[in-house]
Amino acid sequence: QVQLIESGGGLVQAGGSLNLSCAASGHTSTIYVMGWFRRLPGKEREFLAGITWSGGYTVYEDSVKGRFTISSDNAKNAVYLQMDSLKPEDTAIYVCALSNTGRGIYNYDFWGPGTQVTVSS
């Protein structure tokens, strides 16, 4: 099993920045990709960004491209999401995810509980 814990959420004004962190523990000997999603009440979970553990290849959802940056620290089994130019519509619960089965950068096996991000106008 793998456990994921996010941190770094909070309240920020529109135009501001936040940096989210996610630490993986447990059976982390094989990580293929880690990524970030967000969850809005009554809506499907939305993919935001993913990064491959080998090579650091990244992908982004169009609405956050150019504003959010995903990065990783393989030695710490951690992934980060730098969020700039935040908008009120970015308000959501942000969830970290990990894949240890290599099904591609959009498919994940483990999920964190999430951290709340609130952007005020």
Side-chain angles (χ1 to χ4, degrees):
Q1 281 286 43
V2 172
Q3 294 79 44
L4 300 170
I5 295 293
E6 304 94 340
S7 61
L11 173 64
V12 63
Q13 287 190 327
S17 298
L18 281 175
N19 189 32
L20 306 182
S21 300
C22 174
S25 61
H27 292 158
T28 57
S29 58
T30 305
I31 298 176
Y32 286 95
V33 296
M34 290 190 74
W36 288 95
F37 290 71
R38 64 186 175 193
R39 192 170 65 234
L40 292 165
K43 291 193 175 183
E44 292 285 327
R45 189 164 47 202
E46 176 187 23
F47 173 81
L48 298 177
I51 185 166
T52 62
W53 225 236
S54 176
Y57 175 74
T58 58
V59 294
Y60 295 92
E61 194 272 334
D62 285 346
S63 69
V64 304
K65 201 175 294 184
R67 299 190 299 125
F68 291 8
T69 303
I70 189 170
S71 61
S72 65
D73 185 333
N74 291 24
K76 295 182 179 179
N77 291 328
V79 66
Y80 309 96
L81 189 67
Q82 175 65 38
M83 306 188 295
D84 299 317
S85 302
L86 283 162
K87 306 174 183 179
E89 51 264 43
D90 293 318
T91 295
I93 295 173
Y94 284 69
V95 179
C96 171
L98 178 150
S99 169
N100 62 1
T101 53
R103 296 178 293 127
I105 204 166
Y106 295 100
N107 296 295
Y108 295 85
D109 306 296
F110 298 95
W111 305 86
T115 185
Q116 177 70 46
V117 170
T118 303
V119 184
S120 63
S121 56

